[in-house]
Amino acid sequence: MVSGLVDSFGLSLGWTIFNLVAVDRGGLALAGLFNAAMLVGVVLSAPVTGRLARYLHGRTLLLLAGGTEAILRVATLAALLAGYDGKLIAAGIVLMHVAAYAGFAAMRAEVAAVDARPQTMTRYALSIAAVEAAGAGVAALLPLHGACLIAVFLVYGMSLVPTILTARRARVRDAATAGPSMPAAGVDGQVTRTARREHDRARTGRPRLPWPVLAGGGVVTLLAAGPTLLSVALASELHGHKAVAGAAIAFSAGCLLSSSAVAVVDRLRLPTQVTWPLWGVGMLVGWLLAPAHLVGLFVAQFLSGLSMTAFEGGMDARIARDAAPGTVTTVLAWSASTRALGGAVAVRLLPALVAAPAIGLTSGVAAATLGAAALSALVRLRLPRRRAAAATGPAVLGP
């Protein structure tokens, strides 16, 4: 947990400075190129992580990912400051985020190996999100020259040292050596073809990916996460640059309460078909007020921090719980990748569809869509239970 917090603070600090320098050197076009490269790296990290996790112990995967990311962090920032070609820097950013999210998947697998409950996974996700908001806020206050820039280089690269040191305590073993034993033979003494195929999938690290679950998470992110992912730009356009810091604080406050919110929802025992769209509604509903008043922006960011973190933690917990032995790292990488893909499409489409003042109307339509999906799922799941109860009839009391 501590290693993840230090790493995320350094990444957020350095990446924010990186974007500020990019805007200063090449405007929004250059910053857009680099952020697109980041999202491409996140999407590509899933298949790369899956392949590496087939052969590498969690310890080795963390060391490889952390060392590669640290080198590329410093190299890409130095190349930007030195004026290298933007496309070359973008290629480095893609590789950097492939390594970053491979390490992130490995770290979440370690958390799941200790405790895979939704509250625990959400607590890890909220800690990461909160400290990233803090890193971005600190970066916005720093000058982009002199001793401060040298300090940024050190923090940006050295913040991965705790992860590299902690890697020696990794528990997750590679799929090739930690897979399940061969299933028992049937009554005829033969192992069925299906059972053998599932066993081979687990041992080789080629899990049967839960595509419906992954697709559902991607769709919720696509519909709900756009305003939150563009919150810095939206806050600046709606209420000025000074609103960005307050929005970051509100988002962090929401993140810190997300674990408690997950615990409350878990006690209701609602299925994911209901809870995930409702978390999406939570990400959106505050943006109905954001264009009208600064307080509305803070409310929107608070609800976004709470709902987005709870959604991501719950999705990761669900996928880690259902994963075959030896494939947790792989499926968690695909979980982050599908969310990143949905977020990338949302970030790309939202500015093209609406201007900042109209974000409330767009958020309202998306929130209504997700709310209807949650209500429909609840009705579909409740009706069979009521019919079953009606079919059995009331219990007959004896004399």
Side-chain angles (χ1 to χ4, degrees), residues 1 5 104 108 111-112 115-131 251-266 275-276 279 304-318 320 332 339:
M1 183 75 77
L5 292 178
F104 186 39
R108 285 178 293 150
V111 173
D115 188 350
R117 291 178 302 169
Q119 296 93 325
T120 304
M121 299 296 287
T122 303
R123 191 176 302 118
Y124 182 74
L126 74 87
S127 301
I128 296 299
V131 81
F251 186 86
S252 297
C255 291
L256 295 175
L257 291 178
S258 60
S259 182
S260 300
V262 169
V264 172
V265 171
D266 280 349
T275 56
W276 289 8
W279 290 132
S304 294
L306 187 152
S307 301
M308 177 176 281
T309 309
F311 164 65
E312 291 181 352
M315 181 176 175
D316 286 345
R318 162 72 184 275
L332 286 175
R339 290 197 300 265

Side-chain angles (χ1 to χ4, degrees), residues 257-293:
L257 291 178
S258 60
S259 182
S260 300
V262 169
V264 172
V265 171
D266 280 349
R267 285 197 290 270
L268 298 177
R269 299 185 180 278
L270 295 174
T272 56
Q273 297 96 315
V274 177
T275 56
W276 289 8
L278 289 180
W279 290 132
V281 172
M283 294 181 219
L284 292 164
V285 67
W287 290 98
L288 296 169
L289 307 173
H293 199 278

Side-chain angles (χ1 to χ4, degrees), residues 178-180 198 201-203 207-208 319-329 331:
E198 293 301 319
R201 279 179 175 272
R203 283 194 59 84
R208 184 182 296 277
I319 289 177
R321 182 195 67 195
D322 296 341
T327 65
V328 176
T329 304
V331 295

